């Protein structure tokens, strides 16, 4: 039976990667849902939907009769990104969006086989406390902290009872990949910052604070895991951490990143990207014109990601932040054994941004 995959949130980091992955498969047809149309659809049929509009969702998803797999990656974030993670409106809106989609779809598509839902490290409370390393599924969750994850998960579990379809939840670390205007894409924020430094003839300075041990998740790796989960018995009704499988600190890969961008590595020069880089729209526009870039203005290109980048560069921290690490053992034991070299991952994505004329070539 040919799979018909419905991707919710197709313009985001994960949605874009999943759309690209399934769009290249001969045994799949893809419907991509987002409010704005993605720059590339990879053969998917795009449908524009406002997930907060219950009536519109009922009309659109209630007419989809043959969906087999749903990959739900949609996310509502507040303008103040970090503080929004504990905001009650943000929590309520994200819970409502999933419900608005799945209620009519589940009634209409009798062929439904699997739903994938995205969570993240905030399931372990990394945004409000020091976690006990490594975080493990079913052991380390912080259910006492209000979080839209729990509302969505509880709804999904209740909805699935007695049904033939199944679900899987993924919890990646910081995700790296291709997207424009996403609220949590360090690559676009960092790319603009680096391009401005390079045009001034400066080396690639590190704009953050103290070093922190980090783990990453390549979005292509995540897309393959999502595809695996949709066809795997051991993934049914389970939540999985997923990381590249290694750890990194910025200083160990800084030279490689600088070389990829055609720059020399610089010194530690703290800079609040959130406050300083948006002021330089005129300079960014000049760079885009000079190098023939197709990137939009800074706000449209980066979204809220400067704030996210400051967070992961530890800007303003003078002592090492407690490193959040996650165990992938549950995922590996279930049968998914792929991994990604994080240093090579950075090279891959920056080169892609250069090839697509989103960032200047070296």
């Amino acid at each position: 039976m040919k799979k018909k995959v419905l991707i919710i949130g197709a313009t985001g980091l994960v949605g874009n990667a999943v759309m690209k992955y399934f769009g290249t498969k001969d045994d799949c047809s893809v419907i991509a849902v987002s409010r704005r149309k993605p720059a590339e659809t990879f053969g998917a049929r795009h449908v524009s939907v406002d997930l907060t509009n219950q009536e519109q969702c009922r009309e659109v998803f209630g007419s989809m009769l043959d969906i087999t797999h749903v990959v739900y990656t949609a996310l509502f974030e507040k303008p103040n990104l970090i503080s929004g993670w504990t905001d009650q409106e943000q929590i309520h809106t994200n819970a409502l969006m999933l419900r608005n989609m799945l209620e009519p779809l589940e009634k209409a598509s009798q062929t439904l086989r699997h739903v994938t839902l995205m969570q993240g490290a905030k399931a372990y409370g990394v945004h409000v406390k020091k976690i006990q390393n490594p975080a493990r599924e079913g052991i380390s969750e912080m259910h006492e902290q209000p979080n839209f994850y729990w509302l969505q998960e509880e709804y999904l579990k209740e909805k699935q009872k007695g049904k033939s379809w199944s679900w899987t939840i993924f919890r990646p670390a910081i995700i790296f990949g291709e997207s424009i205007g996403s609220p949590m894409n360090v690559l676009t924020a960092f790319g603009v910052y680096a391009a401005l430094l390079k045009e001034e003839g400066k080396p690639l300075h590190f704009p953050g604070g103290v070093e922190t041990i980090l783990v990453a998740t390549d979005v292509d790796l995540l897309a393959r895991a999502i595809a695996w989960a949709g066809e795997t018995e051991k993934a049914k009704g389970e939540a999985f951490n997923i990381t590249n499988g290694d750890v990194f600190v910025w200083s160990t890969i800084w030279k490689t990143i600088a070389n990829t961008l055609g720059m020399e590595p610089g010194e530690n020069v703290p800079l609040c990207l959130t406050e300083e880089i948006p002021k330089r729209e005129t300079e960014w526009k000049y760079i885009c014109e000079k190098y023939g870039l197709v990137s939009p203005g800074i706000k449209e290109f980066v979204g809220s990601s400067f704030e996210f980048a400051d967070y992961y560069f530890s800007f303003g921290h003078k002592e090492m932040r407690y490193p959040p690490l996650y165990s992938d053992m549950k995922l590996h034991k279930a049968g998914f054994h792929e991994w990604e070299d994080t240093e090579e991952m950075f090279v891959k994505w920056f080169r892609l941004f250069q090839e697509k004329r989103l960032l200047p070539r070296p």
Side-chain angles (χ1 to χ4, degrees):
M1 177 182 176
K2 189 170 184 177
K3 288 183 286 192
K4 192 160 188 177
V5 183
L6 177 65
I7 301 169
I8 310 295
T11 54
L13 266 171
V14 181
N16 181 72
V18 175
M19 179 173 57
K20 182 178 180 180
Y21 179 88
F22 283 112
T24 61
K25 304 300 177 185
D26 294 333
D27 64 341
C28 293
S29 63
V30 180
I31 298 177
V33 172
S34 57
R35 281 198 278 190
R36 72 179 194 275
K37 187 174 181 179
E40 295 179 72
T41 60
F42 307 101
R45 177 168 70 89
H46 179 257
V47 179
S48 179
V49 180
D50 179 356
L51 294 176
T52 64
N53 187 322
Q54 187 179 47
E55 184 176 343
Q56 186 184 25
C57 288
R58 187 183 300 117
E59 178 182 348
V60 172
F61 298 116
S63 65
M64 295 182 179
L65 307 179
D66 55 353
I67 299 298
T68 61
H69 294 71
V70 176
V71 182
Y72 189 90
T73 72
L75 180 64
F76 168 75
E77 294 281 6
K78 301 283 282 185
N80 293 320
L81 183 69
I82 306 302
S83 62
W85 290 344
T86 55
D87 183 272
Q88 286 299 320
E89 181 188 0
Q90 191 249 33
I91 292 170
H92 171 76
T93 301
N94 278 291
L96 179 68
M97 287 162 54
L98 174 64
R99 186 181 296 267
N100 284 349
M101 180 279 298
L102 194 56
E103 283 293 325
L105 179 78
E106 201 259 352
K107 292 176 182 176
S109 285
Q110 300 302 308
T111 53
L112 185 62
R113 289 159 45 190
H114 191 264
V115 177
T116 300
L117 185 65
M118 301 304 302
Q119 294 183 356
K122 291 190 288 296
Y124 304 119
V126 297
H127 57 310
V128 295
K129 71 168 188 176
K130 296 180 179 180
I131 67 170
Q132 183 175 349
N133 282 326
R136 293 187 292 167
E137 309 90 328
I139 297 173
S140 308
E141 286 88 350
M142 190 180 182
H143 286 278
E144 64 271 23
Q145 171 64 40
N147 193 325
F148 73 84
Y149 293 171
W150 310 135
L151 297 182
Q152 289 184 336
E153 183 176 334
E154 289 164 8
Y155 166 73
L156 192 63
K157 288 178 177 178
E158 187 63 30
K159 192 70 180 172
Q160 189 273 335
K161 286 182 180 179
K163 310 290 178 60
S164 59
W165 54 273
S166 61
W167 56 266
T168 304
I169 292 171
F170 280 101
R171 295 172 182 159
I174 176 176
I175 303 172
F176 291 91
E178 178 191 3
S179 71
I180 293 177
S182 294
M184 292 182 285
N185 187 359
V186 170
L187 295 179
T188 54
F190 184 80
V192 172
Y193 161 74
L196 290 167
L197 280 182
K198 185 179 179 183
E199 193 62 23
E200 292 180 300
K202 295 179 180 178
L204 184 61
H205 297 309
F206 179 67
V210 296
E211 286 234 285
T212 304
I213 300 171
L214 295 167
V215 288
T217 302
D218 181 275
V219 77
D220 286 343
L221 176 71
L222 178 57
R224 296 194 297 272
I226 288 171
W228 165 85
E231 307 298 330
T232 302
E233 188 69 26
K234 289 185 177 181
K236 291 181 178 180
E238 300 292 345
F240 295 109
N241 294 336
I242 177 168
T243 73
N244 287 351
D246 58 5
V247 298
F248 76 99
V249 293
W250 290 113
S251 64
T252 60
I253 61 173
W254 206 250
K255 183 177 181 180
T256 297
I257 292 175
N259 289 341
T260 305
L261 296 173
M263 302 175 70
E264 293 294 325
E267 304 297 327
N268 188 347
V269 182
L271 181 73
C272 181
L273 304 183
T274 304
E275 294 181 2
E276 299 302 326
I277 303 303
K279 300 175 184 177
R280 303 178 68 177
E281 182 67 56
T282 301
E283 296 166 71
W284 173 246
K285 183 178 180 181
Y286 170 79
I287 290 171
C288 290
E289 292 175 351
K290 179 178 179 180
Y291 296 100
L293 304 185
V294 298
S295 301
I298 290 177
K299 183 177 180 180
E300 294 77 14
F301 188 39
V302 180
S304 303
S305 293
F306 285 126
E307 188 175 352
F308 192 63
D310 283 333
Y311 181 80
Y312 273 95
F313 286 140
S314 297
F315 174 79
H317 291 266
K318 300 188 182 301
E319 295 182 2
M320 181 175 175
R321 288 169 51 201
Y322 196 78
L325 305 175
Y326 318 101
S327 171
D328 296 324
M329 286 301 103
K330 182 180 177 182
L331 180 62
H332 297 327
K333 288 179 179 179
F336 186 80
H337 303 300
E338 297 191 43
W339 52 271
E340 180 77 27
D341 183 289
T342 296
E343 188 167 353
E344 293 176 359
M345 176 198 74
F346 279 108
V347 174
K348 175 183 74 171
W349 288 119
F350 280 124
R351 284 181 176 167
L352 180 69
F353 274 60
Q354 292 162 351
E355 290 168 5
K356 291 193 170 186
R357 291 190 295 140
L358 296 170
L359 292 175
R361 289 178 179 271

